[in-house]
Amino acid sequence: MVQEFKEFAMKGNVMDLAVGVIIGGAFGKIVDSVVADLIMPFVAWIMGGKLDFSGMFLVLGTIPEGTARTLDALKKAQVPVFAYGSFLTILVNFIILAFIIFVMIKQMNRLKRSEPPAAVAPPPEPAEEVLLLREIRDSLKK
């Protein structure tokens, strides 16, 4: 059983998947930073003010006295909140990530197509017996 697991874990596809997951995690952090630090400030500027999607929410219950009206404070007080701002931020992250992956795959496919096709080797000469049989066949047809 240990040997089978070792063979499975060392297959190329499993190792490729592991590398992909690790790079994907790091890439996700980069996209989060791009969205939070580069894109969202422009969205806030275009919308005409300070806009932070992650702080947008609707309170669905009663707020206990002395609780601040921030998302974290309300969650700690176990007040039900509809936190649509977090969803919008994650949605923007996903759209940007999907677009970047789309562009990368499109470029990779373009590069694959631009490679010159490999030279096709001519088919091997038929054996002498085959040539002889073809001559006999042709003679019989006449």
Side-chain angles (χ1 to χ4, degrees):
M1 188 166 169
V2 173
Q3 182 64 25
E4 285 181 62
F5 177 74
K6 184 178 176 183
E7 288 175 15
F8 169 76
M10 292 301 147
K11 283 186 179 176
N13 294 341
V14 175
M15 296 306 286
D16 291 344
L17 180 62
V19 169
V21 167
I22 292 168
I23 290 175
F27 193 66
K29 290 180 183 180
I30 292 170
V31 171
D32 287 342
S33 175
V34 166
V35 170
D37 301 330
L38 303 177
I39 293 174
M40 295 312 274
F42 280 114
V43 171
W45 180 64
I46 290 171
M47 293 264 203
K50 188 174 182 180
L51 181 66
D52 181 17
F53 281 172
S54 62
M56 299 173 101
F57 59 90
L58 277 167
V59 179
L60 300 176
T62 56
I63 301 173
E65 258 198 63
T67 305
R69 268 189 80 84
T70 64
L71 185 59
D72 291 334
L74 292 172
K75 283 186 176 182
K76 284 181 184 173
Q78 296 183 348
V79 176
V81 291
F82 183 69
Y84 63 92
S86 297
F87 173 75
L88 289 175
T89 302
I90 292 171
L91 183 64
V92 169
N93 285 356
F94 172 76
I95 290 170
I96 291 170
L97 182 64
F99 180 74
I100 290 170
I101 290 173
F102 168 75
V103 170
M104 286 174 43
I105 290 174
K106 187 172 178 152
Q107 291 301 320
M108 287 174 46
N109 287 340
R110 194 187 79 183
L111 290 173
K112 282 183 182 180
R113 274 187 257 135
S114 67
E115 292 176 2
V120 178
E125 290 290 323
E128 193 172 324
E129 295 86 14
V130 173
L131 292 174
L132 184 60
L133 288 171
R134 285 182 184 168
E135 285 180 28
I136 295 170
R137 178 194 66 200
D138 292 343
S139 298
L140 288 173
K141 281 185 180 178
K142 291 180 183 178

